[in-house]
Amino acid sequence: MVDNTRRRLFGKHALNHADNPLPWLKQPQQFTEQCTRCGRCVSACETQVIIKGDGGFPCLDFSKAECSFCYRCAAACPEALFLNQDHLPWHAKANVESNCLAQRNVDCRSCGDSCDEMAIHFKLAIGHVATPNIDEQSCSGCGACVSVCPVQAINIHHR
């Protein structure tokens, strides 16, 4: 039996940047056609959240760090694949999944403690621990809450 998911590693479309694009991309859907995989954005990233992913294409790994929106990745790109810094970096927001400890009645507030924007609030309920709620207006999608979650219940979703 052939594992078709492994075949993607050898193709130019190995990484789906529509699901996890870098900040400020002009055309996320065409990123793999335009990126030369030079690695300058990876080297320039101050928090090291950008790594070389499948096929050598840069991708974000929020399990390691958060995006500080420093714009160094965009400034380092020789292909000019990024928008100007005065644009919104992306329309990404954090999302709490069903395996969250608080939803299993275990007190945990690590995501809220790590959120500089204070976009994660905890809803109190009688007889239960407080559960996290994300204010989408305040959430920048930086990913600071992802790596601190002990059960990997938080993901960054691009809209």
Side-chain angles (χ1 to χ4, degrees), residues 124-147:
L124 300 175
I126 297 172
H128 298 283
V129 300
T131 56
N133 288 314
I134 299 178
D135 176 9
E136 292 197 7
Q137 296 297 322
S138 301
C139 180
S140 67
C142 71
C145 55
V146 174
S147 66

Side-chain angles (χ1 to χ4, degrees), residues 79-137:
E79 285 86 31
L81 303 178
F82 297 87
L83 298 168
N84 294 329
Q85 191 174 9
D86 59 346
H87 287 85
L88 210 75
W90 53 31
H91 298 286
K93 304 295 177 189
N95 183 50
V96 180
E97 302 291 333
S98 61
N99 62 326
C100 173
L101 290 176
Q103 293 182 11
R104 296 179 180 184
N105 214 27
V106 176
D107 191 32
C108 176
R109 294 186 182 218
S110 59
C111 59
D113 293 341
S114 68
C115 183
D116 288 339
E117 285 88 10
M118 297 168 64
I120 302 174
H121 304 278
F122 289 84
K123 182 180 176 183
L124 300 175
I126 297 172
H128 298 283
V129 300
T131 56
N133 288 314
I134 299 178
D135 176 9
E136 292 197 7
Q137 296 297 322

Side-chain angles (χ1 to χ4, degrees), residues 45-77:
C45 182
E46 75 177 11
T47 61
Q48 303 302 298
V49 70
I50 303 175
I51 63 167
K52 281 199 173 204
D54 292 345
F57 290 100
C59 66
L60 298 171
D61 185 358
F62 290 116
S63 70
K64 299 186 178 298
E66 66 188 87
C67 182
S68 64
F69 304 112
C70 67
Y71 199 73
R72 291 181 186 174
C73 58
C77 181

Side-chain angles (χ1 to χ4, degrees), residues 12 30-38 56-58 79 81:
K12 195 159 174 114
Q30 285 82 36
F31 181 74
T32 55
E33 283 84 27
Q34 299 169 343
C35 177
T36 61
R37 300 176 274 187
C38 68
F57 290 100
E79 285 86 31
L81 303 178

